[in-house]
Each structure stands twice: as C-alpha cells, then as structure tokens.
Amino acid sequence: MALTLASAAQLLQQHHLLHEIVRADRWTLDAGEFEGSDTPFSSVTYDTRKVEDGTLLFCKGAFRPEYLDGIDARGLSAYVSETEFHERTAAPGLIVSDVRKAMSLLSAEFYGRPQEKLTVVGITGTKGKTTTAYFTHAVLSALSGGKAALFSSVDNCVDGRTYVESDLTTPESLDAFRMMGEAVNHGMRYLVMEVSSQAYKVNRVYGLTFDVGVFLNISPDHISPIEHPTFEDYLWCKRQIVDNCRTLVLGADADHADLIRQQAQRDRRSIVTFALHDEAKLTTPADVVASPADPAHTQYRIEADGVDFGLFSLAIDGDFNYANAAAALAIVHALGLDASPEALHAMEHVKIAGRMERFEDPSTNTVAIVDYAHNGISMTALLDYVNERFGTRHPYITLITGSAGDKAYDRRKEIVEAAQHRIGRFIFTEEDTNTEPTEDICKQMAGYVTDPQVESGIILDRAQAIENAAAAAKSHPERLDVILAIGKGNERWIKRLNRHTPYEGDDAIFARLLG
Ligand SMILES: CC(=O)N[C@H]1[C@@H](OP(=O)(O)OP(=O)(O)OC[C@H]2O[C@@H](n3ccc(=O)[nH]c3=O)[C@H](O)[C@@H]2O)O[C@H](CO)[C@@H](O)[C@@H]1O[C@H](C)C(=O)N[C@@H](C)C(=O)N[C@H](CCC(=O)O)C(=O)O
Ligand SMILES: Nc1ncnc2c1ncn2[C@@H]1O[C@H](COP(=O)(O)OP(=O)(O)OP(=O)(O)O)[C@@H](O)[C@H]1O
Ligand SMILES: N[C@H](CCC[C@H](N)C(=O)O)C(=O)O
C-alpha cells in the first residue's frame, strides 16, 4: 500500500510515536483534515537538498531549521520531526517522539516492506562482521545462483554483481530499505548485512527482524562521547540483535555468552553456536566447530552436529578467519539450508580488500601485511597469526599504527598494550585522526609504551611511515622483517576534519615498494 499522510499517521499512532500533526496553527490527530492526505508521497528523504514535488522529509540528528528555507517552492509534501517547524514551512508536520524510529518504520512502508521478500541475515560483533558477511554472502550466492545482496562496511551490493563503496557499517534505515527494495527488484532472495552497535543506538534497524541474527564476539570498543558512554551500553546495543531475530548464531567463546544465551532462552529463540578449537582451546562445546587439520594450520576441518563439512583452506590468512568461516556455516545451518559442498566451499575463494593482504619481497626477506585491525582484540589476533605463521623464523616486526580521532579512545592504549611485548618497533602515524591533531594521538600512543625493549617513533605522514619501514627492512636482508600496517585497509582516503581526503592506500604503497 502506498505511503500517504493518512497511512503514515496511522502507522505512527499504532507504534505510539505520533504526538500530533501540525500545520500553521492547526494541531490535530486527524490527517484527514488536510487536503491530499490520501495522495501517495513521491519520495522520502532525510536531506532537504533532495526534496522535490511530493516528498516526505525526515528532520533528524543535527538538522537545522534554516535548511527548510525555500522548501515549499520545491514541493515539500510533509515532514516528520521531533520539533514542529510551522514558521518555516506550510507543509504539515508529523510530530513524533523519536524521528529515527519513525523513519525506519515509514521508509520500510514506502519501499513496500522489502525485508519481507528477502531472507535477511544480520551480523554483529566487535570483530569479524565484514569477513563473516563476505563468507556467508559467498555461500548464499553460490547456492542461489547469485541471488544474494550484501550491506557491509566495505561495499554494498544489491544485484549480486555490482559492488559500491559504503559510507557506514550499517546504512541509515531509509537507505537500507531503499537498497532492500532495489535488491528485491533485481530478484535477490537473500540479504546479508552487518549490524553495528551504533545501528541499534540510533535506530537504523528499528522494526527489522532478522531471519538469522549473529552475535560473533564482544570486547571493549566504540566508547566515546559520540558513540557509547560505557561498555555496558555498547554491549546492550549489540544485544538488541537477540530480541530482533528468529534464530540466533552465537560465538560460544564470546565474552558474556552466558548472558546472551539467557536472553535468547528467555525469549525462546533457538540458538546455533560456533567455536574455533585449537591446541589452546579444545573444550568449548559448540554446534559448529572449526579445528586445525594439520600442525601448520593450512587446513581446517569444520563439523556441525557431527556432520563433517570437510576440509577448508581459506584464501585469506589468519586463524581467526576460520572462526568467521565457522560462523558463516553456522548461519547456513541456522537457515536450514541444504547447501552443496561446492556452495559451502565458495568461501574458500573470498578475499577482502584491505584485510590480511600480504606483500612479499623475497630478495630482501621482507613481508608486509595490510590489515584492518584497529583495537586490542584484533591486534592480538593479528600478532597470534604472525607468531603462528612466522614465529619459528624470529621475525623483526614493525607495527605502523595510529588511531581514530574523536572516538573509541581506549583503542590507543589497547593497541600498544597488545603489541608492545611482541614486536620490535612501533611507528605511530596518521589514521582517521579527524579533528584531533595527529601528533597528539601519536604522542599519546607513544606515551603508553613501557617496554624498554621496543623501539618507538612517530612519522606523521602515513606514506612516509610505510616507506621508512620498508627501507629499514630492505637494509636488513639477513633477518626476516614483518611489517604490519593496520587500521586503514585498502581505503583511498584519510578522514581529516570530517572529510575524506585522498590517500594513496597502504596496499598500493606496499605494492609499489615490494611488488
Ligand atoms: C549518530 C548518527 O547516526 N550519525 C549519522 C547521522 O548524522 P546526523 O543524523 O546527525 O546527520 P548530520 O550529517 O549531522 O546532519 C543532520 C541532518 O541534516 C540533513 N541536512 C544537512 C544539510 C542540509 O543542507 N540539509 C539537510 O537536510 C542531513 O542529511 C542529516 O539528515 O547521519 C549521517 C548521514 O545522514 C551519518 O553520516 C552520521 O554518521 C556519523 C558521522 C558516523 O560516522 N557515525 C559512526 C560513529 C558510525 O555510525 N559508525 C558505525 C560503525 C561502528 C562499528 O564499526 O562498529 C556504522 O554503523 O557505520
Ligand atoms: N573473529 C575475529 N576475532 C578477532 N579479530 C578478528 C576476527 N575477524 C577479523 N579480525 C580482525 O579484525 C579486523 C577487521 O575484521 P572485519 O572487517 O571482518 O571486522 P569488523 O567487525 O567488520 O570490523 P570493523 O567494525 O572495524 O569494521 C581484521 O582485519 C582482523 O585483523
Ligand atoms: N567501522 C569502523 C571503521 C574504523 C576505521 C578506522 N580507521 C577508524 O576510524 O576507527 C569503526 O568505526 O570502528
């Protein structure tokens, strides 16, 4: 059914969100009082610059009243807001208690409730969301003949073929439902999407029930004035996925797994667990388990409820990626799909730009890895991998790192603490330092270094930091050098003063230096 002023008001009333409808000095609960209340809106947007004849506008976030100047001449039909703006526009305003919840519900309606025509998988966790989403997408694509869409923090894909760089890990609700509609129009049957804690904090997935919701893991991150005030709030937001899914996939080793199980059992949700077993951790019981098939960990066997899925050898390095692979197979299992071995093994070919990308110069005994680790848990996982893969050759490890500005402040200390006893040298450099001076963040991180054995320096320019590390490695061909550049992946920009400014890219720099 098309979205009109009357149907929008009715839906908002059903969800107890509507305060009143306001135009000029008329305040009412009856949309029928306004001419055209049964005329379908032609478009929806949260940006005044996109308003055209017949548009419904959502005024959210740091919205300013002056954005509405001249809007009537451009044909604004109605607006949804927590504040009324009758002095700025003659269009009726649906005044609500929470504009982001309203935007999610009304956008879904405007785009024809596309979520009901897709099988939707939502993945949350501190680490591994993107990788698990790509693995799951590969399997679902293989078993459906390419009918799987993907919303990830790297790319979005609505037609099974075309990948478009994304801005957010989880899109704004309006954008998410628009893209779901496009996916349906392209004949997609599945959607795999990442769900950040922010998505729940600011209601980007409000009203959306996932056929399978996935909780991978949790560790402190994203605690800052613009994200979450506390770890408890961060975890609470992520836990919302448990209440908004039909079946839960849970990392059996996740911190607070007991609490999450309690929550799922209270609501009688079925749970499928997964775990990575290795020499250090043999005992966590789980429905889907990945365990190394040989001492060098070149292959992992994945089993579910005693059924052998076979041996897997991933194209991306890192033992932790077998935990992500086990999660992907747990998702397929939770969906009740009978996937062929070829479909399951599709994830073996997945590579993700900027995740565990390796560059090597054998002539100078140098290995460089570009990765997206940028907090304690992922730093540890990355160094575990380096130790597992290269440890017997006693490499000299250089870590090129910075940390984001204005947010997730704990990361700065966590990265240093996770690395300092395990590497030879830190080079602190620019990351997405945003409005904070790069030098301040680098000095703060350098200040956390307490191990006298580790070298530590600051090279503000990120490209120069990489060039310096590569040159130092090349001057020591007698030893194995491993250079780790983290936190930027394959991004071709650095966020400075709230803007993306061009950057060559860690991977591109290593490719030119090491081949
Ligand atoms: C809290 C939140 O959800 N913030 C997002 C939100 O900001 P906002 O609503 O305040 O929007 P704004 O850009 O300040 O502007 C206010 C409104 O005025 C509108 N506007 C603006 C100018 C104009 O002329 N007319 C007009 O109507 C804008 O379109 C907007 O709707 O909407 C913007 C797009 O509309 C997003 O860019 C922004 O993300 C912020 C910057 C962001 O990056 N957030 C991070 C912390 C985030 O969400 N990260 C997570 C990842 C976490 C993880 O990996 O776990 C994510 O999901 O990506
Ligand atoms: N299961 C895991 N456990 C620990 N670390 C992981 C795991 N999976 C990936 N990582 C590390 O985290 C980095 C980011 O991985 P990925 O992009 O899949 O996670 P994400 O949850 O999407 O992260 P982000 O929130 O930063 O976008 C990887 O480059 C790797 O270093
Ligand atoms: N989705 C991720 C992106 C991190 C990118 C990193 N360079 C940073 O700025 O923290 C986050 O917000 O944690």
Side-chain angles (χ1 to χ4, degrees):
M1 206 182 67
L3 188 69
T4 63
L5 186 73
S7 67
Q10 193 182 10
L11 189 66
L12 293 173
Q13 302 225 36
Q14 276 165 13
H15 288 266
H16 308 290
L17 289 167
L18 186 70
H19 286 191
E20 64 276 321
I21 312 169
V22 171
R23 189 172 68 176
D25 56 3
R26 180 71 190 144
W27 292 31
T28 178
L29 290 177
D30 181 8
E33 291 181 21
F34 301 107
E35 198 187 319
S37 64
D38 286 322
T39 307
F41 297 118
S42 61
S43 63
V44 290
T45 183
Y46 51 77
D47 190 334
T48 52
R49 292 164 291 194
K50 296 191 179 145
V51 167
E52 47 189 41
D53 209 19
T55 298
L56 175 68
L57 169 74
F58 298 93
C59 308
K60 63 149 178 80
F63 186 86
R64 296 197 196 156
E66 56 268 30
Y67 295 155
L68 289 167
D69 291 347
I71 205 85
D72 291 345
R74 303 215 328 264
L76 179 69
S77 215
Y79 66 93
V80 181
S81 170
E82 290 165 20
T83 319
E84 64 93 6
F85 294 116
H86 82 271
E87 288 176 353
R88 299 266 178 179
T89 172
L94 293 153
I95 311 307
V96 293
S97 49
D98 189 319
V99 65
R100 291 177 191 275
K101 288 182 181 173
M103 181 164 80
S104 194
L105 294 169
L106 296 178
S107 306
E109 211 61 29
F110 179 81
Y111 290 110
R113 305 174 69 79
Q115 71 277 21
E116 292 171 2
K117 298 169 194 138
L118 296 163
T119 297
V120 187
V121 176
I123 304 175
T124 200
T126 302
K127 280 290 152 246
K129 296 183 291 298
T130 307
T131 312
T132 305
Y134 271 74
F135 286 161
T136 309
H137 179 250
V139 176
L140 295 178
S141 286
L143 71 81
S144 66
K147 305 282 185 219
L150 173 73
F151 299 169
S152 87
S153 56
V154 178
D155 281 325
N156 296 322
C157 170
V158 296
D159 62 0
R161 289 189 309 276
T162 321
Y163 291 77
V164 178
E165 189 176 352
S166 62
D167 292 327
L168 293 165
T169 298
T170 309
E172 268 317 335
S173 58
L174 185 150
D175 298 317
F177 288 112
R178 176 179 45 74
M179 290 193 290
M180 283 185 215
E182 289 167 7
V184 169
N185 291 341
H186 283 291
M188 297 294 108
R189 285 167 43 203
Y190 296 100
L191 167 64
V192 183
M193 64 183 284
E194 289 185 47
V195 185
S196 62
S197 54
Q198 277 301 304
Y200 276 115
K201 182 91 187 158
V202 300
N203 290 307
R204 290 186 200 145
V205 286
Y206 184 75
L208 184 58
T209 302
F210 297 105
D211 293 284
V212 172
V214 186
F215 191 105
L216 295 172
N217 50 45
I218 186 85
S219 81
D221 201 351
H222 296 292
I223 298 157
S224 75
I226 64 158
E227 299 165 287
H228 301 279
T230 58
F231 173 73
E232 195 277 337
D233 185 70
Y234 173 56
L235 174 56
W236 170 245
C237 286
K238 279 207 184 296
R239 280 174 49 204
Q240 298 313 304
I241 203 158
V242 180
D243 294 347
N244 289 286
C245 71
R246 299 198 169 89
T247 301
L248 178 72
V249 166
L250 172 64
D253 286 313
D255 285 355
H256 300 286
D258 289 347
L259 173 67
I260 295 159
R261 269 180 216 268
Q262 275 180 349
Q263 185 181 350
Q265 282 161 354
R266 181 194 63 194
D267 299 335
R268 299 186 200 291
R269 305 234 186 292
S270 50
I271 310 178
V272 178
T273 54
F274 71 91
L276 181 69
H277 285 185
D278 58 23
E279 294 78 2
K281 235 189 251 161
L282 279 171
T283 52
T284 323
D287 300 312
V288 179
V289 167
S291 45
D294 56 67
H297 296 195
T298 54
Q299 287 186 312
Y300 271 69
R301 183 176 297 286
I302 305 188
E303 292 165 291
D305 295 334
V307 178
D308 189 358
F309 279 136
L311 294 174
F312 288 80
S313 180
L314 298 170
I316 346 181
D317 287 334
D319 286 19
F320 51 83
N321 280 320
Y322 288 92
N324 298 330
L329 292 192
I331 294 166
V332 175
H333 203 59
L335 286 169
L337 296 171
D338 194 11
S340 64
E342 296 77 56
L344 296 176
H345 285 267
M347 64 184 177
E348 286 182 305
H349 309 292
V350 170
K351 287 191 169 187
I352 309 170
R355 306 286 187 284
M356 297 303 285
E357 282 201 68
R358 186 144 42 109
F359 302 84
E360 290 189 52
D361 180 7
S363 68
T364 61
N365 220 0
T366 303
V367 174
I369 297 171
V370 170
D371 187 48
Y372 209 53
H374 53 258
N375 65 358
I377 183 178
S378 48
M379 187 73 254
T380 299
L382 178 57
L383 287 167
D384 286 350
Y385 160 74
V386 173
N387 184 45
E388 169 69 37
R389 178 75 177 70
F390 303 103
T392 53
R393 294 165 64 191
H394 305 291
Y396 184 84
I397 304 171
T398 302
L399 176 66
I400 300 168
T401 183
S403 199
D406 308 321
K407 65 171 191 175
Y409 301 113
D410 292 357
R411 286 178 184 170
R412 302 172 191 181
K413 192 171 185 197
E414 279 178 23
I415 291 171
V416 171
E417 287 184 344
Q420 65 170 339
H421 305 305
R422 306 182 71 181
I423 66 169
R425 180 185 179 199
F426 282 106
I427 303 180
F428 296 107
T429 190
E430 184 168 28
E431 215 214 73
D432 293 313
T433 23
N434 213 8
T435 67
E436 280 189 75
T438 302
E439 198 170 358
D440 290 2
I441 297 178
C442 290
K443 280 186 176 158
Q444 189 184 349
M445 292 183 82
Y448 293 129
V449 178
T450 52
D451 188 335
Q453 305 291 327
V454 68
E455 291 180 64
S456 162
I458 296 174
I459 301 177
L460 293 177
D461 183 284
R462 193 168 175 103
Q464 280 174 18
I466 293 175
E467 285 159 1
N468 181 291
K474 285 182 178 184
S475 69
H476 285 287
E478 76 289 354
R479 70 179 188 208
L480 172 65
D481 269 84
V482 174
I483 306 171
L484 306 173
I486 63 166
K488 285 302 291 171
N490 79 325
E491 289 161 357
R492 293 291 186 269
W493 44 264
I494 290 183
K495 196 172 180 189
R496 299 183 179 111
L497 299 173
N498 287 316
R499 291 173 71 99
H500 285 191
T501 56
Y503 168 62
E504 187 180 351
D506 291 359
D507 53 334
I509 298 172
F510 279 121
R512 98 172 131 72
L513 296 174
L514 302 180

